[in-house]
């Protein structure tokens, strides 16, 4: 009988990480057989008055990462690849000098 709010859902999911984009949370809801995509900004207090503050059954919530998190992830992959290649090259030269 209790109504489930967006805040309840976020807390149940383990809260938002620091990299989460709080001003652009997407709520996907089916209304009268049509899928709607709605944005909510939880950094503003008036989001409590939003029709999407209270969730309905089968609502989906998507919180996208901010630009810094996306860049850090991409930079992390490139750095890992660079170190792996460097390690492979060094291993090759060390082993080739030991075998001779």
């Amino acid at each position: 009988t209790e109504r489930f709010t967006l805040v309840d859902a976020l807390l149940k999911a383990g809260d938002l990480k620091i990299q989460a984009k709080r001003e652009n949370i997407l709520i996907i809801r089916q209304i009268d057989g049509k899928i709607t995509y709605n944005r909510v900004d939880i950094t503003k207090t008036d989001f409590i008055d939003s029709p999407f503050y209270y969730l309905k059954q089968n609502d989906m919530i998507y919180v996208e990462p901010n630009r810094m998190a996306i860049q850090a992830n991409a930079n992390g992959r490139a750095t890992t690849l660079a170190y792996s290649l460097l390690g492979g090259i060094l291993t090759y030269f060390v082993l080739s000098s030991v075998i001779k």
Side-chain angles (χ1 to χ4, degrees):
T1 60
E2 244 181 78
R3 296 173 80 180
F4 200 66
T5 67
L6 176 59
V7 175
D8 292 333
L10 295 174
L11 290 173
K12 192 142 185 107
D15 206 359
L16 295 175
K17 293 185 178 182
I18 192 75
Q19 301 93 346
K21 215 181 225 186
R22 289 163 170 75
E23 64 279 348
N24 201 20
I25 295 176
L26 177 65
I27 299 177
I28 303 168
R29 177 177 288 175
Q30 190 170 12
I31 300 174
D32 297 328
K34 292 183 179 180
I35 296 177
T36 63
Y37 301 90
N38 311 281
R39 302 282 179 178
V40 177
D41 182 355
I42 64 168
T43 63
K44 300 200 183 329
T45 56
D46 64 347
F47 90 95
I48 294 172
D49 298 325
S50 165
F52 303 99
Y53 178 70
Y54 289 103
L55 298 177
K56 295 185 178 182
Q57 189 172 357
N58 298 325
D59 278 357
M60 289 184 278
I61 302 168
Y62 174 71
V63 181
E64 61 184 297
N66 61 27
R67 184 177 297 156
M68 185 176 63
I70 293 169
Q71 288 174 344
N73 193 16
N75 291 341
R77 288 182 187 159
T79 303
T80 301
L81 179 62
Y83 282 133
S84 295
L85 288 173
L86 181 62
I89 292 168
L90 287 174
T91 302
Y92 171 76
F93 285 118
V94 168
L95 289 177
S96 64
S97 66
V98 170
I99 293 175
K100 289 182 180 180

